[in-house]
Amino acid sequence: MGNWEADLALRPTFWSPQLYRLWGRPPAAGPPAVDEMLDALMPEDRDTVAEAYSALRERGDPFAVEYRMRRSDGEVRAMVGMGTLLSEGGRPSRLAGTIQDVTERREVEEALRVRDAELRSLYDSSPLMMGIVELVGEDVLHVSENPSTTRFFGTLGVEAGQRLTSEMGMPPAATALWVRRYREAVAARRPVRFEYRHQLSGGSRWLSATVCPIETAPWQRPRCAYVMEDATDRKRAEEQLVVQADELARSNRELEQFAYVASHDLQEPLRTMASFAQLLEVRYRGRLDGDADDFLAFITDGAGRMRALITDLLSYAKLSSGRESAVGVDTAAILTSTLTNLQAAVAERGAQVTVGPLPIVRAVEGQLEQLFLNLIGNAIKFAGPRAPEVRVTAELSGGAWVFSVADNGIGIAPEYAERVFEIFQRLHTRAEYTGTGMGLAICRRIVEEHGGRIWVESIAGAGSTFRFTLPADPAIRP
């Protein structure tokens, strides 16, 4: 802020150093003449300032006027000028006043005005119901509400923006809920979300509301802002999803039970058929014609394949029965047991299996052993003409253990990378490789039951790497 003085003819007689700095004028140049000062003002402000100085000189009217001026360096600044008439001996003697640079203040005010207009536009046009509330006894007063709120609740004969919750058609239980959540938000100084059913003339609607405390003056009641939406469609969708999930779970249980019972009940007649076919083959081989011998071999082979298929189907059905609980399992010990079970196949093919450091995980022990048995067994089976080489490793990544079973076998074409995990899917004929097409489907079911995922990275003729994840248990140190 700078000070100035002028004679009664408006000729400047004094400028303070601060005023020279505000004006961007060197003190050596002295105070500018009135016309020079007016020329520095923006054209639209000149008449207002000139009239204020004239009124002061002619009638002694004090003034406070805001204007914009262009400094000598070309920068435009906002100023507030004030002036008054000084007297000596009862007679007017000179004019004096101040000039203050208010540019920064005006920029802040303008930014606030723009921001307020933006928020007001958002508030007024939002499809969400919004407003400000405060507690009045055991009721909530809506100090303000946006048009969406008024459209939903209607006016109900009460002025919108100054009505109690109980006056907006809410039953006592809903009003009491608003009061509780309001107090909770104010006490915890955080947003609180709640949902309730609101009864309208055309039926009930679900409303989802969030109240959040806002700053108020010490002498004011605490206030909260709220945002509310009609959640009826979402709630109906959620209820439908729950019904569908229950139906799906029931259907899955029934299918699993059916598969389990069917597989179990099929075992007995199959064993009988296979036993008598083998008995016929032993007693009458060579005593009948060649076709009969072939037919008996077909029956025995078919019964064996059917038995293997039913066994795998039964294993698949059992996986999601939930009969077993996960415990801490040492996967290194599981691998040792797996390789013991596979020692005949390993010796027959001259396979080399190497195992890296493996963690302790939370899993169903029997299922984890079956998982490794299937993956390593496949690696040995699908090795092609070369001696199988299999490597089993694990690494911690993003809160999960990633296990890898890599081989040097015949590989899988990329277009079959998903298909191999589907039930009863085979990429080769039975003459080439035995099996039921259930092994990798069982692997995927085991991994997914444990909260992980399984995939294969492979190129035909260049080996495969099967990877699967199991969640890492923070309570178990690696």
Side-chain angles (χ1 to χ4, degrees):
M1 179 185 294
N3 302 318
W4 59 267
E5 291 187 8
D7 61 21
L8 296 179
L10 294 180
R11 292 187 293 267
T13 58
F14 169 76
W15 269 29
S16 70
Q18 294 87 344
L19 190 53
Y20 281 108
R21 286 196 295 273
L22 289 178
W23 209 263
R25 182 181 180 88
V34 172
D35 291 343
E36 185 180 355
M37 291 178 60
L38 291 175
D39 287 343
L41 305 186
M42 302 303 288
E44 54 269 33
D45 295 337
R46 289 173 186 167
D47 289 345
T48 301
V49 175
E51 290 173 2
Y53 274 95
S54 296
L56 173 63
R57 182 184 64 178
E58 295 171 4
R59 299 190 299 274
D61 296 340
F63 71 82
V65 62
E66 185 171 336
Y67 55 86
R68 291 159 301 153
M69 54 84 63
R70 188 180 301 278
R71 289 163 36 112
S72 58
D73 58 8
E75 183 182 4
V76 176
R77 307 290 293 179
M79 303 287 185
V80 171
M82 302 180 67
T84 187
L85 181 64
L86 299 179
S87 301
E88 291 183 2
R91 298 176 61 82
S93 60
R94 64 188 188 281
L95 309 176
T98 60
I99 296 177
Q100 182 178 3
D101 189 337
V102 294
T103 305
E104 284 75 15
R105 183 200 307 170
R106 293 294 177 261
E107 288 174 348
V108 170
E109 290 173 350
E110 177 62 16
L112 290 174
R113 186 194 66 78
V114 172
R115 183 64 179 274
D116 183 69
E118 292 172 347
L119 292 176
R120 172 55 64 177
S121 176
L122 176 65
Y123 181 77
D124 290 340
S125 62
S126 175
L128 297 174
M129 293 172 268
M130 300 180 179
I132 305 295
V133 292
E134 65 181 37
L135 196 63
V136 178
E138 292 301 314
D139 210 334
V140 174
L141 175 67
H142 288 246
V143 178
S144 69
E145 61 186 57
N146 71 341
S148 291
T149 307
T150 305
R151 283 193 298 270
F152 182 87
F153 289 99
T155 56
L156 303 176
V158 181
E159 181 183 357
Q162 285 291 331
R163 51 183 175 171
L164 298 169
T165 297
S166 58
E167 296 172 329
M168 298 171 68
M170 296 189 190
T175 299
L177 179 63
W178 268 86
V179 171
R180 289 198 302 273
R181 297 297 177 257
Y182 174 97
R183 286 174 171 156
E184 182 181 340
V186 171
R189 302 202 59 77
R190 61 173 178 81
V192 173
R193 182 176 177 272
F194 59 99
E195 294 181 344
Y196 66 99
R197 192 186 293 270
H198 182 76
Q199 189 67 38
L200 294 172
S201 57
S204 64
R205 308 290 294 180
W206 274 99
L207 296 181
S208 175
T210 300
V211 290
C212 179
I214 58 177
E215 294 293 332
T216 56
W219 60 86
Q220 291 180 311
R221 293 193 187 103
R223 287 184 172 180
C224 286
Y226 70 82
V227 177
M228 188 160 48
E229 64 176 336
D230 186 341
T232 306
D233 292 341
R234 174 175 61 79
K235 294 290 287 187
R236 287 174 179 169
E238 290 175 353
E239 291 169 357
Q240 186 64 28
L241 283 175
V242 170
V243 171
Q244 291 175 349
D246 289 343
E247 292 177 351
L248 181 60
R250 178 181 55 79
S251 176
N252 285 339
R253 288 192 301 270
E254 291 174 353
L255 286 173
E256 289 162 5
Q257 183 67 17
F258 171 79
Y260 180 81
V261 171
S263 299
H264 184 273
D265 291 350
L266 283 172
Q267 294 277 16
E268 183 58 32
L270 183 63
R271 278 194 294 267
T272 302
M273 181 181 71
S275 296
F276 278 100
Q278 290 170 354
L279 183 60
L280 282 172
E281 187 176 22
V282 170
R283 287 188 178 182
Y284 296 100
R285 176 174 293 279
R287 298 173 61 181
L288 302 173
D289 59 24
D291 286 343
D293 289 342
D294 289 341
F295 295 158
L296 285 173
F298 291 152
I299 293 173
T300 303
D301 179 66
R305 286 190 283 109
M306 178 62 78
R307 184 186 300 111
L309 186 60
I310 291 175
T311 299
D312 283 349
L313 183 61
L314 188 59
S315 297
Y316 188 82
K318 285 180 178 178
L319 288 175
S320 59
S321 63
R323 294 184 179 94
E324 299 178 85
S325 300
V327 296
V329 175
D330 184 351
T331 52
I334 292 292
L335 255 294
T336 300
S337 176
T338 300
L339 294 178
T340 299
N341 292 330
L342 289 170
Q343 60 183 350
V346 170
E348 179 183 348
R349 294 300 309 274
Q352 179 181 357
V353 181
T354 58
V355 180
L358 298 178
I360 296 175
V361 297
R362 190 165 296 279
V364 178
E365 185 172 346
Q367 293 182 8
L368 195 58
E369 183 168 354
Q370 185 176 10
L371 173 63
F372 281 116
L373 190 67
N374 288 0
L375 292 178
I376 298 174
N378 278 355
I380 296 173
K381 180 197 300 186
F382 295 102
R386 62 175 69 93
E389 295 178 4
V390 186
R391 178 166 177 77
V392 182
T393 58
E395 63 177 352
L396 188 61
S397 176
W401 285 104
V402 181
F403 291 83
S404 301
V405 179
D407 63 54
N408 64 336
I410 62 175
I412 300 170
E415 59 265 31
Y416 299 122
E418 279 296 321
R419 179 182 166 187
V420 294
F421 293 103
E422 296 176 5
I423 193 169
F424 300 134
Q425 291 299 315
R426 296 174 54 89
L427 302 184
H428 307 278
T429 65
R430 292 187 180 88
E432 294 176 298
Y433 296 99
T434 60
T436 63
M438 290 284 294
L440 290 178
I442 291 174
C443 288
R444 181 163 69 175
R445 176 66 75 92
I446 291 172
V447 171
E448 290 178 350
E449 286 291 318
H450 284 77
R453 66 185 187 94
I454 186 171
W455 69 98
V456 62
E457 298 168 1
S458 181
I459 299 175
S464 302
T465 300
F466 283 84
R467 303 187 194 278
F468 65 90
T469 64
L470 293 177
D473 189 340
I476 300 176
R477 298 184 62 182

